[in-house]
């Protein structure tokens, strides 16, 4: 009679578990950072457009005098 094969699986250490959790959190954090950076770029573009428009209006108001 032969003994049944034994399957041994290593239990992850506490450090390995922490690294796995950190990896999951960091990937989410990177997505958030990229989304925030893109939102900032769009807001900077909007402000630049507003500045150009305000400058144009000011220049027109100084050059057109009755």
């Amino acid at each position: 009679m032969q003994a049944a094969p034994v399957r041994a699986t290593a239990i992850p250490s506490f450090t390995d578990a922490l690294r796995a959790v950190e990896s999951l959190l960091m990937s989410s954090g990177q997505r958030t950072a990229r989304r925030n950076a893109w939102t900032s770029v769009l807001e900077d573009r909007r402000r630049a457009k507003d500045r150009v428009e305000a400058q144009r209006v000011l220049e027109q108001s100084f050059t057109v005098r009755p």
Side-chain angles (χ1 to χ4, degrees), residues 11-60:
I11 297 173
S13 70
F14 184 72
T15 304
D16 291 338
L18 282 178
R19 284 188 183 136
V21 170
E22 180 185 34
S23 171
L24 288 172
L25 292 177
M26 291 301 285
S27 64
S28 173
Q30 281 185 344
R31 280 194 302 272
T32 301
R34 287 183 184 146
R35 188 171 44 245
N36 289 345
W38 182 244
T39 300
S40 179
V41 166
L42 294 178
E43 184 62 21
D44 287 345
R45 289 178 181 175
R46 187 193 62 76
R47 281 193 301 262
K49 183 179 173 185
D50 290 347
R51 276 194 305 274
V52 168
E53 180 65 18
Q55 184 67 31
R56 187 184 63 76
V57 169
L58 285 173
E59 288 173 357
Q60 283 181 348

